[in-house]
Amino acid sequence: MFVCESAHIARRGGFSLGEAQVFFKVRYRHQQRQKPPGSKVNEYKENQNIADTSLRPVQTTVLGVTAKVCLVPFSLSNYNTGQLKRPKSLLDKNSNSEVTCKKSKKAEIKKSCRRLLTPKMEATSSKEESTLQKSSLDVHAESNKWQYKSPSDTVVLSPDTESSQEGDSDEDTTPGLDDFSELSPYERKRLKNISENANFFASLQLSESAARFREMIKKRQPPESKRKKPKKKENETGCRRSMRLLKVDPSGVPLPAAPIQTVLEVDENPLIPPGPLEMTPENQDDDNALFKGFLQTWAEMSKTRSKNTEKELSSIKSYKVHLNGMVISEDTVCKVTRGSISSMAIHPSEMRTLVAAGAKSGQVGLWDLTHQPKEDGVYLFQPHSQPVSCLYFSPANPAHLLSLSYDGTLRCGDFSRAVFEEVYRDETRSFSSFDFLTEDASTLIVGHWDGSMSLVDRRTPGTSCEKLIKTSLSKIRTVHVHPVQRQYLITAGLRDIHVYDARCLNLSRNQPLISLTEHTKSIASAYFSPLTGNRVVTTCADCKLRIFDSSCISSKIPLLTTIRHNTITGRWLTRFQAVWDPKQEDCIVVGSMAQPRRVEVFHETGKWVHSFLGGECLASVCSINAMHPTRYILAGGNSSGRVHVFMN
């Protein structure tokens, strides 16, 4: 019985088993001292064998209450906490005074029990007590589930014992115990899981493992090994070395130091010296009889000037017939320049076929197609040091070829005198394009890459300009003059196209008469139609060719047609520039990126007219194209310096 009550007290009060037994002994002695005279209580001996105890009921009187106590044998080896069940009270009703008295007695007994515990017992039971305190919540949560397996395991306690138990349950009213009796089964199970998890993680000793790993991770700096360098032996022979590298003569005499040669940086594009240049072909001898005959031919052509007789436009049907008769052959394909072609021009002569090409290397090549073999009719000159962006034959003198370059020079090649004269020079600026303001080609308008323009008069001595004009554009790519109303000129900027009146140009920033802002990307060119100037064609990087109506230059020039055309040439190809056909000014000619390679012709309404296909003779992209003003001849140049000519 003492063992059963000790286990019960340990479970209810959170004590260790040894502490509960000490508490029970103290309470028993306290009852012995307070028993009334004449009452009999079963005596307890520490060394008494529980198995030999009599099972005969004993009459006891405690506080005037008589109860029967049955002692049942109990063995600790068969003890199982899951089989225990809290015994029911034998006394269903107690007076309030008795309960109060029992509570006070219970408190005094527990205090005295705490005082009687020796330090040795506390040290012995400290480990068990900590374990029971951790799992006290679980024990109280499941205390109602403990049951005995058989009626023979029932233990009937005395009224004093039950009253003490009731006093325990009434006295231990802490929130951690009494509140648990009111929790739902789910909450009890949850708290049980929490405590079990906490005990499990505590048993893993993660903090200690982490500390060990932390020590293992610490990188130990390896000790600096002071390696002793081997001492060189005095008599040891070294490796054999070349006497040339040692700069020593075979006899052992040191060679004299070689003189230091200063390397001069050579400019890739040196400027051509100012002044006139003698016309000397780089690919042929100047004493060659062919070249002298070539110059004589140009002198004869200078006497015959082309007549600007206005002709009526032929119908599209007849125009297509003529275009279909234009073919290309191996004899009409030749390499004229060493670099990429950036400008083209065809001489207006009706007797001979002469093609001029300007290259990015600053070269100007001339090709006379009447010479056979074809290589003998090619003459290459170097009048510039940077790309030649614009070429025109003079409308006043067909023997004059004017060329403009990025290097800031504008020269006139006079083939009758075999010289390149310098018309305009400004090394501080880079030129982009030019055109004739007058029909006699005496006055020129030059566009600059910085957005300014220069007015040049060839009749005045010197190589300077008459007027430097600032515009509202950041860049000027092309400049073109109206063929009829020559006071108007159109400029293609970075993304805008402006029309100016040459009579109103001042030195300060000038505002345009008309501004075309329909373009969304970089513009390559803008040209008036060659005969009447009633149309304007522009080439833009947004893969569109636009045609405007410039028949009435007022505050606005309306957009007539937009033609979808691939104008993305990439880095290594010259940009496309759509140009008018001087014979049929309602049709434009432009290069193409399509396969097989071709040159395409469109009508101003946007309709496709013709495609020049060359088969094996045309295997590259002709970015720059030019049409003969009176004959059905087309010349196209590619990015390798090769010229392709389609003709009847």
Side-chain angles (χ1 to χ4, degrees), residues 95 101 165 263 270-271 320 329 336 369 379 390 491 523 586 610:
S95 61
C101 179
Q165 292 175 358
V263 179
L271 290 176
K320 287 184 178 181
S329 63
V336 178
L369 276 74
Y379 303 93
C390 195
T491 59
I523 302 171
D586 56 352
H610 184 72

Side-chain angles (χ1 to χ4, degrees), residues 106-264:
K106 174 64 179 176
E108 293 176 0
I109 292 171
K110 187 175 289 190
K111 291 179 182 179
S112 60
C113 177
R114 295 293 184 186
R115 288 195 300 269
L116 291 175
L117 287 175
T118 60
K120 184 176 181 180
M121 294 174 62
E122 290 179 357
T124 305
S125 61
S126 61
K127 186 174 182 180
E128 298 177 0
E129 184 178 0
S130 62
T131 306
L132 287 173
Q133 285 178 356
K134 290 181 181 178
S135 61
S136 61
L137 297 177
D138 303 338
V139 173
H140 284 282
E142 296 186 356
S143 61
N144 293 330
K145 298 182 181 180
W146 294 343
Q147 297 178 355
Y148 293 112
K149 291 185 178 180
S150 64
S152 62
D153 297 335
T154 307
V155 179
V156 182
L157 301 178
S158 65
D160 294 340
T161 307
E162 185 169 352
S163 63
S164 65
Q165 292 175 358
E166 292 178 356
D168 292 345
S169 62
D170 294 338
E171 184 178 355
D172 298 337
T173 57
T174 57
L177 299 176
D178 291 345
D179 293 348
F180 257 78
S181 62
E182 299 177 359
L183 297 178
S184 63
Y186 168 75
E187 294 174 340
R188 295 175 182 174
K189 186 175 181 180
R190 174 178 171 274
L191 294 174
K192 179 183 177 182
N193 293 337
I194 292 174
S195 62
E196 289 179 355
N197 292 339
N199 296 335
F200 173 72
F201 282 109
S203 64
L204 293 179
Q205 300 179 354
L206 295 178
S207 59
E208 299 177 1
S209 301
R212 289 197 303 270
F213 280 117
R214 215 173 284 117
E215 293 178 359
M216 294 170 60
I217 291 174
K218 290 182 179 179
K219 296 182 179 179
R220 298 180 179 178
Q221 295 182 356
E224 296 181 358
S225 60
K226 297 181 179 179
R227 187 175 181 180
K228 296 182 179 180
K229 296 182 180 180
K231 296 181 179 180
K232 293 183 179 180
K233 298 180 180 180
E234 297 181 355
N235 299 330
E236 184 179 1
T237 58
C239 297
R240 183 179 178 182
R241 298 182 62 184
S242 172
M243 302 185 71
R244 178 181 59 82
L245 297 178
L246 295 175
K247 297 180 180 180
V248 177
D249 190 76
S251 60
V253 180
L255 296 175
I260 300 175
Q261 297 180 357
T262 58
V263 179
L264 299 177

Side-chain angles (χ1 to χ4, degrees), residues 64 153 344 385 407 492 557:
D153 297 335
M344 292 281 296
S385 61
D407 60 2
I557 296 179

Side-chain angles (χ1 to χ4, degrees), residues 37 49 111 136 225 250 303 399 536 581 590 645:
N49 190 359
K111 291 179 182 179
S136 61
S225 60
K303 299 177 182 178
V536 173
D581 187 353
V590 64
V645 178

